[in-house]
Amino acid sequence: MKIGMISAIALTTSLLSANTAAALDTVPELSLTVAKRMVEACEAKAIEEGWLMNIAIVDRGANLLAFHRMNNAFLGSIDISINKAKTSARFPWPTRFFGDLSFGQDGQPGGLPGIAFVDEVVAFAGGIPIMAGGVQVGGIGVSGATADQDEACAQAALDAVGSDLN
């Protein structure tokens, strides 16, 4: 190969690598600091309402970033909260959507009943995707009270850090 051709290939490879690295730098990321603030906000809501919650925050890859079990919260709800968070990180919908999809709503049957039997997919409320700048960066899952209360607690966490996620 001629030296000019090798130089052109090297330059092109270098430019492509630089562009890829720059693109990766611009993707929003869920920080541990924000995840901790979400846990604190969710716990504050739970205390205010008298709920005992397990609170899980995962990153975009569904890897556990933060977890908190309030004193006397159900031990069985630990895995449920983590799986709600994972479900919400892997799909761009709240876990309530999977319940509606599987079990139906307003007296109508669900369109995909089998989704409720997929491992680690939770098909009831309490998990919500975490979005930053229009990009999904993780999920929050809360378990320990009713599904609606779990979801309200998760939403309180998102509301508390909303300006940090844009």
Side-chain angles (χ1 to χ4, degrees):
M1 238 187 238
K2 294 183 181 178
I3 301 254
M5 178 71 91
I6 293 172
S7 296
I9 291 172
L11 178 62
T12 301
T13 302
S14 177
L15 289 173
L16 288 174
S17 296
N19 287 338
T20 302
L24 291 175
D25 288 342
T26 62
V27 175
E29 186 174 314
L30 181 60
S31 71
L32 179 58
T33 301
V34 171
K36 286 178 178 180
R37 287 187 44 230
M38 292 177 73
V39 167
E40 291 169 0
C42 187
E43 182 178 31
K45 171 73 171 173
I47 290 169
E48 176 185 312
E49 299 292 341
W51 305 327
L52 301 175
M53 298 296 200
N54 290 285
I55 306 157
I57 313 284
V58 299
D59 64 16
R60 82 175 83 247
N63 302 298
L64 192 60
L65 188 57
F67 176 81
H68 178 66
R69 176 179 171 262
M70 294 175 65
N71 289 338
N72 300 313
F74 296 124
L75 293 173
S77 290
I78 292 171
D79 289 337
I80 294 169
S81 68
I82 293 169
N83 285 332
K84 285 180 180 183
K86 287 180 176 184
T87 300
S88 295
R90 292 177 175 148
F91 301 97
W93 307 291
T95 54
R96 176 182 298 276
F97 171 77
F98 292 97
D100 293 345
L101 192 60
S102 183
F103 304 112
Q105 57 184 341
D106 301 324
Q108 299 299 313
L112 190 58
I115 195 75
F117 302 103
V118 174
D119 286 344
E120 295 186 350
V121 171
V122 176
F124 50 92
I128 303 175
I130 302 170
M131 306 297 286
V135 176
Q136 191 169 356
V137 296
I140 178 171
V142 181
S143 184
T146 69
D148 289 338
Q149 292 165 338
D150 294 349
E151 187 175 67
C153 205
Q155 188 61 55
L158 289 172
D159 292 345
V161 298
S163 60
D164 294 333
L165 294 174
N166 294 323

